[in-house]
Amino acid sequence: MVIISSIKDKALKYLKSLRARIFIIMLFIGLFPVFLMKTIFLENYVTQAVNQKTALIQNQCQQIVSQAGSTGYIRDVSSAPQVDEQVTQFASIYSGRVIIVNSNFWIVRDTYEIDEGKAIISEEVLQCFQTATPATSYNEQEQFMELTLPIKNSGTGDTEGIMIVSVSTEDVNAGKDALEGTVLILQIVLTVFILVVAYYMARILTKPFGRITQSLEEVRDGVFEQEISIPDYTETKLLAEAYNRMLSRMKIQEDTRQEFVSNVSHELKTPITSMKVLADSLLAQDDVPVELYKEFMADIAEEIDRENKIISDLLSLVKMDKRSSDIHIQETNINQLIELILKRLRPIAAKRDIDLVLESFKPIMAEVDETKLTLALSNLVENGIKYNHESGWVHVSLNIDSKYFYVKVEDSGIGIPLEDQEHIFERFYRVDKSHSREIGGTGLGLAITRSAVLMHHGAIKVYSKEGEGTTFNVRIPLKYVP
């Protein structure tokens, strides 16, 4: 469960990180237009306000320009008092300044009465004389706008003067400031709204991932029943499928663990029970005959040996289950290793008149864990001897190619039924339980062998026919790759 807790903690961190990223992205997407809105609104307002004011002023100035061109106002200001009065009123209404310039660039009228009688030559004035069209300029920083309009002679149509109008735009800026305050309030309201929406949307969008985290929490608490289906997104679908596969494997592992614990308990308890029965039988009798006493004690000794054998095999299996970092690899002479194994087992084979033969084709040096490989191959040869007929044979052959060496263990024994062959490498599995116990088997030997072979990145296969013997083929790489 430590691994599940680690996965669950990582999943929670990822979920929080994902939720935060989604929140930030949505916040950015939502707030960017809000803050952009202020600039767009204010710029549009200023542009429209200036355009409207320009159009209004230009319309009123056009009337004055027309009258000035038809009354000779440019040649003699005093000859058209009504035009001069309109000029004065216009300047007063808009709190601006009006300058009238004749064709010689002399100022003939200035509502400020500052520059009358002076010459004025500017780019705007020159351009207006040349094009005879009105021109407008706006200075936002100085808060004023300036219009230049040609005064044409009504008779000849020639431009005989220029009317320059300067008007303050403080009212436009005042409106802009007022609008800016309104937009700020709107921005605050929208920002709060977007914050709330982004928060809830982040939770909604990551809800499928939360269901996976919740499922991991249930698994950590020991609940392996509920598979999940989250087709909301491609990612959650793939995660759910991976989770269900992991859950399936964990169910299998949990069932295997429970079965293993049950089997271990049963196997360890059986010899103890036998010893208890034998000891109670002795204690229950007075004046126990020496022969019976010796017989019972011999049986107790056998049960103790059996218990010791089970414990030794369990310890070996635990070592095999450890990580590959516990493996001790060294260059080993495989021929000598197998010869030593057969030398140890020949006395056992001789008791049953079983012929033990080694056939080696080439000298073999390989990178292996000598202790673990010895244990694995010893189990195969010893099984060939134990589950054999009297006066039978066990044939061990050794071969090699460019990448692997091969060990074949054949016997003339009782064979393994076809339906049992796929289970023989399982822990505590016995083909014939009564016969296995009779000859001292623990049901762990082939499980140990398989673990040792896999630890070397090798493979093991079995071929057998009931009543006709068994063949085990083992393949081990010559070079160990961690």
Side-chain angles (χ1 to χ4, degrees):
M1 294 302 171
V2 175
I3 296 176
I4 295 299
S5 296
S6 176
I7 294 174
K8 184 249 181 184
D9 292 339
K10 289 181 180 178
L12 275 176
K13 289 181 180 178
Y14 174 76
L15 179 61
K16 292 178 181 178
S17 174
L18 179 63
R19 190 171 289 167
R21 289 198 297 269
I22 292 176
F23 176 76
I24 292 171
I25 291 171
M26 294 194 66
L27 201 61
F28 176 78
I29 293 173
L31 291 180
F32 180 74
V34 170
F35 287 101
L36 189 62
M37 174 186 68
K38 178 180 179 181
T39 303
I40 294 174
F41 276 10
L42 294 179
E43 286 184 356
N44 285 341
Y45 168 78
V46 170
T47 300
Q48 291 179 5
V50 169
N51 289 340
Q52 289 176 359
K53 190 166 186 176
T54 300
L56 178 62
I57 293 174
Q58 191 170 356
N59 185 50
Q60 294 182 3
C61 288
Q62 198 63 48
Q63 297 177 5
I64 298 175
V65 166
S66 297
Q67 292 184 18
S70 61
T71 59
Y73 181 73
I74 293 297
R75 293 183 295 275
D76 185 3
V77 174
S78 60
S79 65
Q82 71 277 11
V83 176
D84 191 63
E85 184 178 352
Q86 288 180 6
V87 169
T88 303
Q89 289 179 351
F90 176 85
S92 176
I93 292 172
Y94 287 100
S95 300
R97 181 182 184 184
V98 179
I99 296 175
I100 305 297
V101 181
N102 63 18
S103 58
N104 295 320
F105 301 103
W106 291 102
I107 298 174
V108 297
R109 180 74 170 93
D110 180 6
T111 54
Y112 277 13
E113 299 180 353
I114 297 175
D115 296 326
E116 290 182 357
K118 295 180 180 180
I120 179 171
I121 299 176
S122 66
E123 183 180 352
E124 292 82 4
V125 173
L126 291 172
Q127 187 175 2
C128 190
F129 270 115
Q130 290 174 357
T131 61
T133 56
T136 305
S137 64
Y138 169 61
N139 190 322
E140 184 177 4
Q141 186 175 1
E142 299 296 333
Q143 298 186 16
F144 78 92
M145 59 188 300
E146 186 176 272
L147 283 78
T148 307
L149 296 93
I151 301 175
K152 297 180 180 181
N153 188 296
S154 57
T156 63
D158 296 331
T159 301
E160 59 180 7
I162 299 295
M163 180 178 180
I164 303 173
V165 179
S166 298
V167 178
S168 172
T169 57
E170 290 183 357
D171 55 334
V172 174
N173 291 309
K176 177 183 175 183
D177 293 340
L179 181 61
E180 189 172 5
T182 303
V183 171
L184 180 61
I185 295 173
L186 182 60
Q187 281 182 315
I188 294 172
V189 173
L190 287 176
T191 300
V192 173
F193 175 75
I194 290 170
L195 281 170
V196 174
V197 171
Y199 174 77
Y200 282 103
M201 286 300 294
R203 294 188 67 87
I204 291 171
L205 291 174
T206 56
K207 189 175 181 181
F209 295 94
R211 286 160 61 188
I212 294 178
T213 306
Q214 182 181 357
S215 299
L216 288 172
E217 177 72 24
E218 292 174 355
V219 171
R220 190 182 69 170
D221 295 337
V223 180
F224 298 95
E225 303 300 326
Q226 188 67 36
E227 291 190 348
I228 58 175
S229 175
I230 310 176
D232 304 62
Y233 315 116
T234 302
E235 292 80 2
T236 56
K237 182 180 179 181
L238 294 174
L239 280 173
E241 291 174 355
Y243 169 82
N244 291 334
R245 288 195 297 270
M246 180 194 72
L247 188 64
S248 177
R249 290 195 295 268
M250 291 188 66
K251 287 179 182 178
I252 295 172
Q253 290 176 356
E254 179 66 14
D255 293 341
T256 303
R257 185 189 66 82
Q258 292 180 359
E259 182 181 1
F260 178 72
V261 171
S262 176
N263 288 334
V264 168
S265 301
H266 175 75
E267 294 296 331
L268 292 177
K269 186 177 180 182
T270 300
I272 293 175
T273 303
S274 299
M275 287 186 284
K276 182 71 166 58
V277 170
L278 292 169
D280 288 344
S281 297
L282 290 175
L283 292 174
Q285 301 179 46
D286 295 328
D287 300 326
V288 179
V290 174
E291 293 78 9
L292 183 61
Y293 183 83
K294 288 183 176 180
E295 180 184 349
F296 277 25
M297 290 304 294
D299 291 340
I300 290 175
E302 287 181 2
E303 294 298 331
I304 291 173
D305 289 340
R306 184 179 166 197
E307 185 90 1
N308 185 56
K309 174 65 175 172
I310 293 172
I311 292 172
S312 297
D313 283 351
L314 282 172
L315 290 175
S316 298
L317 198 58
V318 168
K319 290 178 182 178
M320 295 294 180
D321 285 342
K322 286 186 177 181
R323 295 167 55 184
S324 59
S325 58
D326 293 331
I327 194 169
H328 303 289
I329 298 297
Q330 59 183 5
E331 189 82 11
T332 304
N333 188 317
I334 304 300
N335 306 75
Q336 292 181 1
L337 183 145
I338 293 181
E339 286 174 359
L340 183 59
I341 292 173
L342 297 187
K343 181 180 179 180
R344 293 172 182 170
L345 294 176
R346 286 189 195 282
I348 301 175
K351 288 181 181 180
R352 303 190 61 199
D353 193 24
I354 291 174
D355 192 16
L356 194 55
V357 180
L358 171 63
E359 185 179 8
S360 178
F361 297 95
K362 294 180 181 179
I364 299 173
M365 297 295 295
E367 297 177 354
V368 297
D369 185 316
E370 185 175 349
T371 302
K372 292 180 174 60
L373 187 60
T374 299
L375 183 60
L377 298 179
S378 295
N379 284 334
L380 293 180
V381 178
E382 190 173 359
N383 281 352
I385 296 171
K386 288 180 178 180
Y387 298 97
N388 212 323
H389 303 292
E390 295 293 333
S391 302
W393 53 266
V394 176
H395 184 195
V396 181
S397 62
L398 185 60
N399 210 338
I400 186 175
D401 63 18
S402 60
K403 292 185 178 180
Y404 304 94
F405 71 87
Y406 303 87
V407 180
K408 182 190 290 186
V409 181
E410 301 174 90
D411 65 61
S412 60
I414 59 178
I416 303 170
L418 183 62
E419 63 272 13
D420 292 315
Q421 291 180 19
E422 61 178 316
H423 301 291
I424 60 173
F425 295 108
E426 297 175 5
R427 300 170 183 184
F428 293 108
Y429 187 85
R430 293 188 180 92
V431 176
D432 184 348
K433 294 185 179 180
S434 60
H435 186 57
S436 295
R437 287 201 175 95
E438 183 181 320
I439 63 175
T442 64
L444 293 172
L446 289 179
I448 293 172
T449 298
R450 181 177 180 272
S451 295
V453 171
L454 293 180
M455 188 175 287
H456 287 84
H457 308 300
I460 181 170
K461 293 183 179 180
V462 60
Y463 304 93
S464 183
K465 191 172 182 180
E466 194 170 5
E468 297 184 9
T470 302
T471 300
F472 284 95
N473 286 329
V474 177
R475 184 189 71 187
I476 304 290
L478 294 171
K479 298 291 184 180
Y480 178 80
V481 179

